[in-house]
Amino acid sequence: MSGPLSLKKSIFTKTSRINAPVHEVFQWHERTGALERLIPPWDPLDVVFKSPGIARGARTVMKIPASPLPIKLTWLAEHTQYTQNMSFQDKQLKGPFKHWVHTHNFTPDGNACIMEDHVEYALPAYMFGSLIGNAAIHRKLERIFRFRHATLEQDLKHHLSYKRHGPLTILISGASGVVGSALIPFLTTGGHRVIRLVRNQSTQNPDEIYWNPSGGHLDLEGIGPIDVAIHLSGENIGQGRWTQKKKKKIIESRNKTTRLIATTLAHLESPPSVLICASAIGYYGDRGDHIM
């Protein structure tokens, strides 16, 4: 027998009560960065392309590890259903599963929200009908969605506690670094606008500003008021040997960029009220269980 009816489909569900109004929970999923916030650190994947929003027709392309092989598989998903503040659905068009349909359901519960992830899937041919394979998938999904629900809960808790301050415009350097790549999705899912400082001179993205620290170039005129600046840029201290040349680059990359950003901000008509500069060049050694 062939066709969709021959698929041995399995169902996975994860339900949590999120302590936030349903429209806040749903809107969090609609914002830029939501997918990145939901990717667990132990099971990383690369978001190659993502359409804005989650309405019907929006698509996402990801690269996922094909463990134990040293390759990555392409996962193409398309949003097929959308009802604001109630549900949305995405379906795998290409990827590791024979069949995958993920429905996100949201139900008001007073000032809170009952959120359910409902996944219908079928394993690929080489795992077809495997009880071991199915049990392993369920364990993996349980761990992933437990992380996703906890992350969403914590993010909304922080965002709502500062909502009275309104959405901010935040300038960030070092956006593609370890800290920046985690911080930006957190900020954008909170409704803030993030403007990145980038080295790509031909960028056409309105939320990217070209800068050249070596040449002392940074023009922030015309982008409007900036509420907060976060400076994360600097030579990577985790790559390469710490030769004299490397150490000089580490220090100069921090001194030059900080001086350029601080000077440029100070000369703005309305400089930001907050400048956060995060940088460290330290070695702690083996301190056992001591909290650093």
Side-chain angles (χ1 to χ4, degrees):
M1 185 176 179
S2 61
L5 293 178
S6 66
L7 292 176
K8 294 185 178 180
K9 297 178 183 178
S10 298
I11 301 294
F12 171 85
T13 60
K14 178 69 174 178
T15 303
S16 294
R17 185 179 188 273
I18 307 299
N19 192 28
V22 66
H23 69 275
E24 295 283 359
V25 180
F26 193 89
Q27 193 173 55
W28 185 96
H29 286 84
E30 292 189 290
R31 290 173 175 150
T32 301
L35 177 58
E36 287 80 359
R37 289 296 295 160
L38 296 175
I39 298 173
W42 66 84
D43 196 15
L45 56 84
D46 300 324
V47 180
V48 178
F49 169 81
K50 188 179 188 307
S51 303
I54 55 175
R56 185 178 301 177
R59 288 193 170 193
T60 302
V61 180
M62 300 169 288
K63 291 287 186 179
I64 63 173
S67 181
L69 301 176
I71 60 173
K72 290 191 175 183
L73 300 176
T74 298
W75 189 330
L76 169 61
E78 181 177 84
H79 288 274
T80 54
Q81 295 181 19
Y82 174 92
T83 304
Q84 190 175 37
N85 296 334
M86 292 182 60
S87 70
F88 66 96
Q89 184 181 89
D90 53 86
K91 179 180 180 180
Q92 175 193 282
L93 302 182
K94 177 183 179 181
F97 289 88
K98 187 71 175 178
H99 172 79
W100 175 279
V101 177
H102 180 188
T103 306
H104 312 246
N105 295 311
F106 306 84
T107 305
D109 185 25
N111 289 324
C113 168
I114 302 300
M115 185 177 74
E116 178 196 64
D117 284 283
H118 181 278
V119 180
E120 181 184 87
Y121 69 92
L123 300 176
Y126 66 90
M127 296 179 67
F128 195 73
S130 170
L131 293 177
I132 297 177
N134 193 60
I137 294 297
H138 260 66
R139 287 195 299 271
K140 185 172 184 177
L141 291 176
E142 174 61 34
R143 188 183 182 201
I144 289 173
F145 280 95
R146 186 167 61 245
F147 167 83
R148 292 173 67 138
H149 286 209
T151 298
L152 171 65
E153 176 90 54
Q154 289 299 312
D155 280 12
L156 283 170
K157 178 182 178 180
H158 289 298
H159 293 320
L160 293 177
S161 66
Y162 292 98
K163 189 175 182 180
R164 65 186 182 278
H165 297 291
L168 304 175
T169 297
I170 304 171
L171 182 75
I172 293 186
S173 71
S176 61
V178 174
V179 177
S181 59
L183 177 61
I184 290 175
F186 170 75
L187 294 173
T188 53
T189 51
H192 304 294
R193 180 192 179 195
V194 173
I195 301 175
R196 303 165 176 81
L197 295 183
V198 300
R199 310 295 178 98
N200 179 12
Q201 191 169 4
S202 61
T203 181
Q204 299 296 315
N205 190 328
D207 288 333
E208 292 182 349
I209 300 294
Y210 166 73
W211 76 320
N212 181 359
S214 298
H217 176 79
L218 175 58
D219 184 3
L220 297 178
E221 297 295 339
I223 66 171
I226 299 171
D227 299 298
V228 179
I230 303 176
H231 177 31
L232 304 172
S233 181
E235 175 72 12
N236 191 325
I237 66 173
Q239 292 181 347
R241 296 179 61 246
W242 277 33
T243 61
Q244 289 300 320
K245 183 178 180 180
K246 173 72 172 181
K247 286 188 281 187
K248 182 179 179 181
K249 289 180 67 176
I250 291 173
I251 294 172
E252 287 187 349
S253 69
R254 285 153 174 76
N255 289 344
K256 286 184 177 180
T257 55
T258 304
R259 184 179 299 111
L260 177 59
I261 289 175
T263 302
T264 304
L265 292 175
H267 284 85
L268 291 177
E269 184 177 343
S270 298
S273 58
V274 177
L275 168 60
I276 300 171
C277 182
S279 178
I281 46 173
Y283 174 71
Y284 299 102
D286 185 357
R287 301 301 298 273
D289 295 331
H290 185 69
I291 296 176
M292 306 302 292

